[in-house]
Amino acid sequence: MKFVKYALLVLGGLVILIGAVLAYVAATFDPNQYKPHIVQAVKERTQRTLRLEGDIGLSFWPNIGARVGKVSLSERASDREFAAVEEVRVSLKLVPLLSKQAVVDTVRVRGLRANLVKEKDGRLNVDDLAGPPAAKAAPGAKGAQPDFKVDVAGVDIENATLAYIDQAAGTKVTLSRVNLKTGRIAPGVPGRVELSLNVQGDKPKLDLQAKLNTRLTFDPGQQVLALEDLALEAKGAAAGFKSLAFRASGGATVDGSKEHAQAQLAGKFDETGFKARLGVDGFAAPAIQFDVELDQLDVDRYLAPAPAGAKQKPAAGDPEPRFDLSGLRALRAGGALKIGSFKANNVKASNVQVAVKASNGRVVLDPVTADFYQGKLASAITINAAPATPAFAVRHRFNGISIGPLVKDLADSDILEGRGDVAADVTSQGDTVSALKKALNGAASLKLADGALKGIDLAGSIRSARARLGAAREGETQAADKSQKTDFSELTATFKITNGVARNNDLDMKSPLLRVGGAGEINIGADSLDYLVKASIVGTSKGQAGRDVEDLRGVTVPVRVSGPLAAPSYKLDLGRAATDTAKQRLTDELQKRLGGGAAKGDADQEGAKSGGSTRDALRGLFGR
């Protein structure tokens, strides 16, 4: 017992002695006098300039601690600032070190600034600080723990700024106003994490404010990190979208040894609810897998509104905005997207389902299906962003759609209605909307039923010209009148599209009163058309305006349709129609008076019997 007593007394004395020595050293040792030596050592070792403008404070009891204020470090062999900090405080408990445990009080960092640069040759501006790459350690036995354990009471980072510059890509991303607070950080121990920051970038354009709250658990031996009870909020602008608001909750895991991460999230993107399952394989060149469901998506909501009176055109003299797809070149992704209701460029769809594959700058959306304007849509879309000028290939099949609302929403034009099938198989290239329209090539077809061509009543126009057919010699032009229309029971046409111009020569429109054919072209790039329609009266009913057209049966009236797509004009060639009518009446009268094609001698005899001649018949026909 006395031995134990003496041992305790000796141990207590040693502790007191050690404490007294440490207290004396702490009181008498001034690390600031070594600043020049520290600066010189850093210069010789790294060729960087270290500036120690603040004081260095040390403590040795009961914890080993240090406080450093106002420190900066330059780039290698340069005076440009690489990193700087206003103040750092850290302390380490002594006793746990004896059992190979590093128990750290809260680490506080204030005013950190750092610039990470990836040079054109792929090197980072921190490679010289990291030293030669360490040999890869052999994996330990399952369940093995590291020899040295780290336990941090917390981390408190205030107002940090971190910038990443990729010189090869010409991009810069800056994290500013970074504030981080954590609870206890120790292997296998869940700890709360609160993070807020601003994100700015140029390619793509980013200006976001974000907040993250979660519970963090990690295992350094297995390189596994898990985020539970995750709550993420972000708002701002990104990739051309304005006034974004994002909220999500869920969880995520990261396996560093396998370079794999996955997450399950649910939340709202502005007014859009979503559910998402995401996976990433490979961190250097990530391959992304996703399965995303959205209840709605209105793309137009996030785009800048067009100037008043110029829905889809820039103001005079202003350059047309270009879209940048360079961000797709490094994308490796595959997955599925479902959208309950969708709107883009004022075109609407519902129950949208899209399968996506992306690699080597090519993005393939195939198949794309949707409920579309009371019908069905089936499409395949390919975007090739690898070349300097992106290229597109689109194949659409619309079955049983209502064409009127679609044309109205797509082109703000009310010139056609009906229901049926539309098909298009086209390619294009360009980085503006105008360039894409002018480079459009391919084919399209149209088959509609029970519709109308709006802007003109062909039968009514022919009837109104009836009294003037004998005298009209010039074309008559009339503007489109939305109150008028030409009904049809069936309309078919095919188009060949070359360099933005769609040409057609097989228009066939049928109704009980009319037969309409035509040929011409639609200049998609210029939003105009030039088309010749030939309308023939074939029915004997009193027609759409209630007037008898018996005398006009068989007469063909050429109608030139031209001008802007939104407001074309119609020119009736009444002189041509009058000539054709006169020819037809002359032929009918001759056949009637000459016996329907009798021999010349018989005709003369018939004329004599009737008391007249052929000359008299012609005079009678024209009323002379």
Side-chain angles (χ1 to χ4, degrees), residues 95-142:
V95 176
L97 289 174
L98 302 176
S99 58
K100 296 184 178 181
Q101 291 185 349
V103 178
V104 183
D105 283 340
T106 299
V107 178
R108 292 180 171 85
V109 180
R110 183 168 62 87
L112 171 66
R113 301 188 304 272
N115 297 298
L116 182 63
V117 179
K118 183 179 181 181
E119 300 173 359
K120 292 183 178 180
D121 59 6
R123 292 182 300 172
L124 295 174
N125 64 337
V126 294
D127 287 346
D128 62 306
L129 297 177
K136 188 174 181 180
K142 185 176 180 180

Side-chain angles (χ1 to χ4, degrees), residues 206-547:
L206 295 172
D207 188 4
L208 297 171
Q209 300 84 48
K211 293 182 179 180
L212 170 68
N213 285 276
T214 188
R215 189 170 69 247
L216 169 68
T217 305
F218 71 98
D219 184 344
Q222 301 295 326
Q223 301 184 47
V224 174
L225 179 149
L227 301 176
E228 299 176 315
D229 296 333
L230 182 149
L232 174 64
E233 295 184 12
K235 61 181 180 179
F241 294 103
K242 310 294 183 182
S243 302
L244 293 180
F246 177 85
R247 299 182 301 279
S249 60
T253 60
V254 179
D255 189 332
S257 61
K258 297 180 180 179
E259 292 195 351
H260 175 75
Q262 61 182 20
Q264 290 189 343
L265 301 172
K268 296 204 72 173
F269 177 84
D270 198 18
E271 296 184 350
T272 300
F274 71 89
K275 296 179 181 178
R277 292 185 295 274
L278 307 172
V280 177
D281 287 305
F283 296 158
I288 303 170
Q289 302 86 41
F290 63 90
D291 188 350
V292 178
E293 296 182 18
L294 309 177
D295 60 4
Q296 61 174 328
L297 179 60
D298 184 352
V299 176
D300 296 341
R301 177 182 176 86
Y302 307 106
L303 301 178
K311 182 177 180 181
Q312 292 182 335
K313 297 180 180 179
D318 291 345
E320 184 175 2
R322 300 178 181 274
F323 45 84
D324 183 8
L325 302 182
S326 59
L328 299 178
R329 294 171 184 167
L331 180 63
R332 293 197 302 154
L337 174 65
K338 297 179 181 178
I339 307 174
S341 62
F342 177 78
K343 178 185 174 187
N345 196 29
N346 205 40
V347 175
K348 307 170 186 72
S350 60
N351 297 323
V352 180
Q353 298 190 43
V354 185
V356 182
K357 293 181 180 179
S359 63
N360 300 319
R362 289 174 59 87
V363 180
V364 179
L365 313 178
D366 185 14
V368 179
T369 61
D371 295 335
F372 197 75
Y373 289 87
Q374 303 177 34
K376 297 290 184 180
L377 163 68
S379 300
I381 303 170
T382 299
I383 304 170
N384 188 357
T389 302
F392 302 81
V394 178
R395 185 175 69 253
H396 287 315
R397 297 290 182 270
F398 306 94
N399 294 320
I401 68 168
S402 182
I403 195 70
L406 172 59
V407 174
K408 177 65 176 176
D409 288 346
L410 180 63
D412 194 21
S413 178
D414 189 18
I415 62 173
L416 186 64
E417 65 181 29
R419 188 161 183 170
D421 302 337
V422 180
D425 193 346
V426 297
T427 61
S428 188
Q429 59 182 3
D431 57 4
T432 66
V433 173
S434 294
L436 290 176
K437 291 164 68 174
K438 292 176 181 178
L440 202 63
N441 290 280
S445 63
L446 180 70
K447 184 177 182 180
L448 301 177
D450 301 326
L453 176 66
K454 293 187 174 182
I456 187 172
D457 177 2
L458 288 174
S461 297
I462 294 173
R463 285 192 300 271
S464 66
R466 178 183 179 188
R468 298 170 295 174
L469 283 177
R473 289 295 180 267
E474 298 295 332
E476 180 179 284
T477 301
Q478 65 182 73
D481 184 349
K482 294 182 179 180
S483 66
Q484 295 186 352
K485 63 180 180 178
T486 301
D487 295 325
F488 60 80
S489 58
E490 182 181 335
L491 172 65
T492 61
T494 60
F495 298 86
K496 182 178 180 181
I497 306 171
T498 304
N499 296 328
V501 178
R503 294 179 173 84
N504 161 263
N505 59 8
D506 62 354
L507 175 68
D508 185 12
M509 189 174 82
K510 299 175 182 178
S511 75
L513 189 63
L514 292 170
R515 291 294 183 271
V516 179
E521 62 183 36
I522 301 173
N523 192 325
I524 301 170
D527 291 323
S528 64
L529 77 163
D530 184 8
Y531 208 87
L532 181 62
V533 175
K534 294 184 177 181
S536 301
I537 300 292
V538 297
T540 59
S541 80
K542 297 195 178 291
Q544 295 168 310
R547 299 179 61 182

